[in-house]
Amino acid sequence: MIHRFFKRLFMSRFENMRREFTANVSHELKTPLQAISGAAELLKSDVVKEEDRKKFLDIILMESRRMTRLIADIIAISQLDSGSQIEKDDVDFVRLVREAVEALRPLANEDSVTLTLSTPLESTRIVRGSEHFLEAIVSNLVINAIHYNRPGGIVDIKLDYDRGHMTLTVSDTGIGIEKDHHERIFERFYRVDKSRSRKSGGTGLGLSIVRNAVRLHKGEITLDSTPDKGSVFTVSLPYA
Ligand code: ADP
């Protein structure tokens, strides 16, 4: 009896979350698609002056890239939800972090942000897991630390290990996050400042992917942040 009650309660909550997610996805996909078709129609109608054509082509390019990112993130979320089919390997986490950080240097330069990486580890440390989703953890945290920073700001990435756990710390000197939002920013499509997220090309899904990918690896994530000072995300992952 009680069991059935909780089961029904759980199922209806789950069903509501699923519905809400589908509605959000439809809305998020519709917006760039409307911008793309609007721009294409204008270009086709010949009302656009020759010197303005590039502006509309830029809109098409930008919005189609946004759609590509959204779709990639939605695929990642549904893979993490189903969980079981995700392939696991022995992943050298130190190498993975180094490579992910190097790949993001150009993005940091564009925003005049400096990336620093410190790791006391000479040797490799193997994490049993999904290379793809471990990379997603590092990249999403570092990309956010760049985008929610200030010009001339710093992103400090530290790697350490202790008693069977790797610790990855990503600290920034950016806008920070009010305490009220600390739980919610890990929810799908939740953004503190929607227009800032949009301007930087955010999908609102990054941190929910990070949280689920950390869970997949039986790790933990914590956040410490001060508004106008910056944020520190700490991920701890068990290693083999
Ligand atoms: P988005 O694509 O909007 O960045 P995320 O899921 O990655 O989506 O993050 C959710 C929200 O959390 C962001 O919109 C932003 O408001 C906030 N946020 C994430 N990382 C940071 C950070 N390093 N500093 C300040 N705010 C952040």
Side-chain angles (χ1 to χ4, degrees):
M1 215 18 212
I2 286 174
H3 171 75
R4 215 188 295 156
F5 171 75
F6 280 112
K7 189 171 171 191
R8 216 181 293 149
L9 190 71
F10 176 76
M11 290 306 283
S12 75
R13 273 198 62 183
F14 183 73
E15 185 56 27
N16 278 341
M17 275 170 59
R18 199 182 62 79
R19 264 198 217 126
E20 199 184 324
F21 181 64
T22 311
N24 276 330
V25 166
S26 314
H27 174 77
E28 297 285 339
L29 285 173
K30 226 195 247 164
T31 315
L33 195 53
Q34 273 165 352
I36 291 168
S37 61
E41 236 162 77
L42 278 172
L43 282 172
K44 203 180 166 207
S45 72
D46 288 334
V47 297
V48 181
K49 284 190 231 130
E50 193 55 38
E51 64 263 34
D52 290 336
R53 293 181 69 82
K54 210 166 161 288
K55 248 192 293 186
F56 288 93
L57 290 170
D58 279 340
I59 292 176
I60 292 177
L61 200 60
M62 214 175 67
E63 296 297 327
S64 57
R65 283 186 184 144
R66 170 187 296 283
M67 285 191 82
T68 307
R69 279 196 301 276
L70 256 165
I71 290 164
D73 280 358
I74 291 162
I75 291 171
I77 282 187
S78 65
Q79 278 178 326
L80 286 164
D81 274 351
S82 66
S84 52
Q85 291 109 347
I86 296 171
E87 228 175 275
K88 291 199 170 163
D89 286 304
D90 289 339
V91 180
D92 177 348
F93 194 64
V94 182
R95 174 192 56 79
L96 183 143
V97 171
R98 282 211 185 99
E99 287 177 3
V101 170
E102 287 321 310
L104 290 171
R105 261 188 219 288
L107 187 76
N109 288 340
E110 262 174 50
D111 282 12
S112 310
V113 167
T114 307
L115 296 187
T116 66
L117 171 65
S118 60
T119 154
L121 308 173
E122 291 302 321
S123 56
T124 60
R125 275 286 176 283
I126 302 300
V127 171
R128 181 80 196 154
S130 152
E131 169 117 23
H132 176 71
F133 285 108
L134 288 168
E135 200 272 333
I137 294 171
V138 183
S139 294
N140 278 303
L141 291 177
V142 176
I143 288 172
N144 282 347
I146 295 169
H147 282 155
Y148 300 105
N149 219 310
R150 54 177 172 79
I154 293 168
V155 176
D156 225 342
I157 301 126
K158 283 203 180 74
L159 205 51
D160 214 337
Y161 69 98
D162 181 37
R163 277 169 287 161
H165 280 78
M166 302 270 346
T167 312
L168 170 75
T169 318
V170 180
S171 321
D172 66 61
T173 54
I175 59 173
I177 305 155
E178 297 273 2
K179 196 106 196 153
D180 301 0
H181 300 288
H182 282 200
E183 278 297 317
R184 301 215 60 195
I185 55 167
F186 293 96
E187 291 172 14
R188 295 163 182 185
F189 293 119
Y190 187 85
R191 292 118 153 164
V192 177
D193 176 348
K194 200 153 182 168
S195 80
R196 177 154 184 158
S197 160
R198 220 187 131 70
K199 254 182 240 145
S200 67
T203 61
L205 293 172
L207 284 182
S208 72
I209 292 173
V210 168
R211 181 171 66 178
N212 287 356
V214 168
R215 277 190 193 146
L216 176 75
H217 293 91
K218 302 186 168 52
E220 270 173 35
I221 182 161
T222 58
L223 164 61
D224 188 11
S225 181
T226 314
D228 298 326
K229 286 255 156 61
S231 308
V232 184
F233 287 86
T234 305
V235 173
S236 133
L237 297 168
Y239 61 78

